[in-house]
Each structure stands twice: as C-alpha cells, then as structure tokens.
Amino acid sequence: MLTSGAQNHSHRVGLALAGGGPEGAVYEIGVLRALDEACDGVDFTTLPVYVGVSAGAFIASNLANGITTAQNVRAIVKHEPGEHPFVPQTFFTPAVGEWLRRTLMTPALLVEAMWEYVRQPQDLTLLESLLRLSRALPVGLFDNRPIRDYLHKIYTMHGRTDDFRKLKSRVYIVATELDSGRAVRFGDAGYDHIPISTAVQASSALPGLYPPVEIEGRHYVDGVLLKTLHASVALEAGAQLVLCVNPIVPVDTLRADEAARVPRTLTEFGLPTVLSQTFRTLIHSRLTVGMKAYKPRYPGQDTIMFEPQPDDYRMFFTNIFSFSSRKELCEYAYRATRRDLLRRYAEIAPILKRHGIRLRRDVLMDPRRDLWAGVGLKGGDRRDRVAGDLPMATTLDRALESLDAWVVVEQAHREQRGMERAAARRTPARAGASRRSPARRVGAPTR
C-alpha cells in the first residue's frame, strides 16, 4: 500500500501466484489484502511483472488490469455495481457437450473392440479388447469455457484489456502443452497475441476436471503439471524481490485431529479427497525443492513465500459454494497472513527494507483491523456485517492475532533490555581500564 508521502518501489517487485482452484483464489485474495495493508511503498496493481498459474493466473491478471486487492475482496462476497459478479459455480459447469460426444462414440468403439477380438482371439482376451472403450471416457468433468467468458467480460469493462500487449506490466500465464509436455508462457513473445482470458482458461485446465484447451491447433492443460509456482519466470524477468503465494499444501489431519476438528483419516471422505491429498503432497514437495534452488541461482534477488499451515483444515474442507465459507476462508487467509508477518517480522522486514518497502508493525499489531471494514463493507446488508456475527473460528483467529502481537512486543522489550544491560556492563569495564592504563604506560613498578 502507498501511504501519504511514501515512495513507490513497486518497480523492484514481482508477484508469483500458484493455483488451488476457486478456494485457492479466495485464499490468495485474503493474503494479498493483508500484504497490501502492511507493506508501505508498494502498489500491487503497478508491479512490473506478474506470474500466474491456474487460479493464480486469474488473480494476477486482475491486479495487472488495475483491480485492487480491496476490489477483489469485495467481489467474492458482494456484487460490485457495474461489475460482472463472481459466482463460484462458473468454475464447475458440467461439461455436458463433452459427455454427450463421448457417449455417442461408445457404439462404434464397442463394435471395433468386438471385431478386433473376433479377428485375434489368440492374441487378445475379451477384456483387453474392451479396453478400447476407455476412449469414450470424458477428458474433463467440467466445462472451462464459462471461465473464459467470465474473464473476457470483466477485462473489457472500465478501460481494462484482454490483450497482453496493452497491459502496462508484463504478465506471464503458464500452461503446459499437452502433446510435448513443455511449459508455455502466455504473454511472452510469440504468445502475447492470445487473449488473457483464453490463457487463464488453458492454465487452469487441470486434467480430469477440465478438458484441454485448444489454441491454434495445440492443446494446453494446467501449468502446475511442470512447476507449482514458476517464480523463476519473475526472477528471470528482472524482479529483485518476488512475493510468492501458494495455497496448495497437504493437510495434516493428525495435528488437526488433536482439536477434534476433522476425522483422523482422509479415506472416510472417499476417492476425490484421497486424490486431492496425493496431488497436494506431490506438488508441495516439488515446490520446497525448487524454492531452495533459487538462492544460489539468483544471487542478490529475494523471494518470500506465503502459504497455509499443514494443520489448517479450512483450506482443505471449505465449501466454496457457500457464501459464509468463502467469507470465512478469505478472512482466515487475511488474519493468518497478519500473524505470519508478525511472527516472521525479524526475518521479513529487513528483506523488504532492502527493496524500499517498510513492513508496518503498527498495522500488524492493531487489533481493530478488520478485513471487511477495511474494504468498505460494513453495516446494512447482512453479508457485510462482521461484528457480532462472527463464527467461532474467526473469533479464535482474532484472539491469536492479539496474542501474537503481545508476544512480539514482549520480545522487542526483552531485546531492548538485553541491549541496555550489555551496554551497562561494557561501560564500567571501559572505566576501569581507563583508570589502570596510565600506570602501565609509565611503567609503574608492581608490588
């Protein structure tokens, strides 16, 4: 955030956002709002470079188009006047056309399978022949064209653009080319003529959930298949500091179960949850290894990561279709990030300072800070009320935030007292040395 009199050092900063589906997008919005409030000297809508993968591509494109963190927050809980409303169901429109097309393929595939078995009964079993029917399985459960249409609408309003070449900042949206397995950076030379909305559609096409997106005769799927974050793209583009947000972490139900919040085993939730946990574990493990490699590869450049805690069941079990759940998740991300910034203040503040950004401890320690009031949502509509109507989880978050602030203050006081005691011990020692040194200098005899 730029406060009065503060210089804008956004030209040194890049932003890299990972995926995570609609709930990942809501989490990233909460994190970015907390950073925007606490970081003095940076404007998140004027950064020189943005990198987005999957849901992160959606948020990155919003910011590059001048949609502020406050506007993003309001959009997930309230229909903004003159804006196309954010509706999570947009991300989960059944791919009826794909299902129908594949179903119509079944009779022909069955005939081919039986004919192949009749011709080669010694080489193939009946089951092996029927494997041909797997071609009739839909390549995606949901239709991602509504995502593209939604983005095209909001990027053609209020002076925004759906054209990479007309943006003031560089925006890279990473997808995977299915037939070659290589990463493609939409927004880069040779790919910047593709509409931003189409690039986001391709980058978020997670195999199994969404069908591959055909662009100029080639098919593209989710960019997370190759790398989780692609922060190196921003570093290579010259960003001296890259702020990274990753919502994709595996849940630790054993730690969460200690508070009796979730079942001890994920198998109780069935195959989708087991697959999700497997995917999250693989993705996060790869990310951890990749982040460690950045420091020696990019000396003099910094990265700071923000992500949920492993025992945070809210990121894993949030019902994104529920208004109250979306609201709670966004506020959780906001408050968790504020606590994280306080806990890591000694680590993060010097890094930000090197790049001309001041991490405001006074903002982080202000217990009156409220996500919704800070973006102009208060009173009136039941959806805007936060005081007096908070779920227990939110109340607990606020209590933890106050506790963290108290701990930081106590640590600062202890450090100050320690420095004062050390200085006091050094002062008498110097005085004694001064009194003894003249006798030694004139060679006074000892007795």
Side-chain angles (χ1 to χ4, degrees):
M1 178 180 291
L2 292 177
T3 56
S4 178
Q7 290 186 328
N8 188 352
H9 293 278
S10 303
H11 64 280
R12 300 174 59 89
V13 183
L15 184 65
L17 304 175
E23 62 272 25
V26 172
Y27 173 84
E28 289 176 339
I29 289 171
V31 171
L32 291 169
R33 182 57 192 168
L35 291 174
D36 197 10
E37 285 185 350
C39 296
D40 198 5
V42 61
D43 181 349
F44 281 87
T45 63
T46 63
L47 303 182
V49 58
Y50 300 84
V51 181
V53 184
S54 194
F58 165 51
I59 305 301
S61 301
N62 285 358
L63 294 170
N65 256 300
I67 302 176
T68 66
T69 60
Q71 286 176 293
N72 276 289
V73 170
R74 289 195 295 267
I76 63 174
V77 297
K78 182 177 181 179
H79 294 171
E80 288 269 273
E83 293 285 0
H84 193 61
F86 172 82
V87 180
Q89 287 82 351
T90 300
F91 293 85
F92 297 105
T93 303
V96 177
E98 170 69 8
W99 299 351
L100 180 60
R101 186 174 70 86
R102 296 287 175 169
T103 300
L104 294 176
M105 294 170 57
T106 304
L109 289 173
L110 181 59
V111 170
E112 291 176 11
M114 296 306 298
W115 176 245
E116 185 178 36
Y117 174 69
V118 169
R119 288 193 306 112
Q120 305 177 56
Q122 305 300 324
D123 296 334
L124 296 172
T125 66
L126 179 59
L127 180 60
E128 289 171 336
S129 298
L130 291 176
L131 286 177
R132 183 183 293 266
L133 292 176
S134 63
R135 299 180 189 176
L137 293 174
V139 294
L141 298 176
F142 304 107
D143 189 355
N144 47 20
R145 288 175 299 181
I147 300 175
R148 179 196 62 203
D149 296 341
Y150 165 76
L151 293 175
H152 179 71
K153 288 179 181 178
I154 66 172
Y155 294 158
T156 52
M157 295 177 172
H158 312 304
R160 302 167 192 152
T161 181
D162 199 21
D163 190 333
F164 285 104
R165 298 165 294 186
K166 294 182 180 179
L167 291 172
K168 295 179 181 179
S169 305
R170 286 173 292 175
V171 176
Y172 300 104
I173 295 176
V174 185
T176 303
E177 187 179 318
L178 182 62
D179 296 313
S180 66
R182 67 186 184 93
V184 172
R185 303 174 185 176
F186 291 106
D188 210 348
Y191 295 94
D192 55 357
H193 63 288
I194 304 299
I196 298 171
S197 55
T198 303
V200 174
Q201 178 194 10
S203 180
S204 58
L206 184 64
L209 288 181
Y210 299 108
V213 177
E214 183 176 357
I215 302 175
E216 297 182 346
R218 295 188 175 275
H219 293 85
Y220 298 90
V221 293
D222 201 316
V224 80
L225 297 185
L226 293 174
K227 289 183 180 179
T228 307
L229 200 59
H230 294 272
S232 59
V233 176
L235 294 169
E236 291 170 3
Q240 297 303 300
L241 168 66
V242 180
L243 301 176
C244 308
V245 185
N246 170 50
I248 309 175
V249 296
V251 67
D252 185 346
T253 60
L254 297 182
R255 288 167 60 184
D257 182 66
E258 292 173 4
R261 294 182 293 191
V262 296
R264 180 172 294 275
T265 173
L266 294 177
T267 58
E268 295 182 21
F269 291 92
L271 179 61
T273 299
V274 172
L275 291 177
S276 176
Q277 176 75 337
T278 302
F279 173 76
R280 287 169 177 267
T281 303
L282 292 172
I283 292 299
H284 193 260
S285 174
R286 184 179 63 187
L287 173 64
T288 302
V289 173
M291 292 298 293
K292 289 180 180 177
Y294 286 155
K295 191 168 185 177
R297 286 177 57 193
Y298 303 99
Q301 295 169 277
D302 296 307
T303 59
I304 304 177
M305 173 68 75
F306 299 93
E307 58 184 9
Q309 294 299 310
D311 59 348
D312 178 34
Y313 71 101
R314 274 167 288 192
M315 272 301 300
F316 202 86
F317 298 103
T318 294
N319 176 12
I320 199 63
F321 294 103
S322 164
F323 166 80
S324 60
S325 294
R326 293 202 306 275
K327 187 175 180 180
E328 183 180 350
L329 174 58
C330 190
E331 181 157 9
Y332 156 73
Y334 169 80
R335 296 196 173 281
T337 302
R338 285 171 55 84
R339 292 199 303 272
D340 188 33
L341 288 169
L342 267 177
R343 283 193 294 263
R344 300 165 59 194
Y345 185 89
E347 169 199 348
I348 294 176
I351 298 175
L352 295 177
K353 186 176 180 180
R354 284 203 298 269
H355 302 282
I357 301 170
R358 181 167 67 99
L359 182 58
R360 297 186 56 185
R361 182 181 286 182
D362 60 318
V363 171
L364 295 173
M365 294 175 63
D366 184 357
R368 298 168 299 176
R369 286 276 170 172
D370 180 88
L371 172 62
W372 312 111
V375 300
L377 294 180
K378 51 185 177 180
D381 191 322
R382 68 173 183 86
R383 294 187 170 199
D384 296 346
R385 290 201 301 269
V386 290
D389 190 29
L390 291 170
M392 181 62 69
T394 302
T395 305
L396 179 59
D397 280 340
R398 288 186 169 180
L400 290 173
E401 188 174 312
S402 299
L403 178 61
D404 283 335
W406 178 83
V407 169
V408 169
V409 170
E410 286 300 306
Q411 288 177 340
H413 287 167
R414 283 198 298 270
E415 291 173 4
Q416 182 64 29
R417 289 194 295 268
M419 292 171 62
E420 291 173 353
R421 285 195 297 268
R425 285 195 298 269
R426 288 194 298 269
T427 301
R430 291 196 189 100
S434 298
R435 288 193 297 269
R436 292 191 298 271
S437 58
R440 288 197 300 269
R441 281 197 298 269
V442 298
T446 57
R447 295 180 181 178

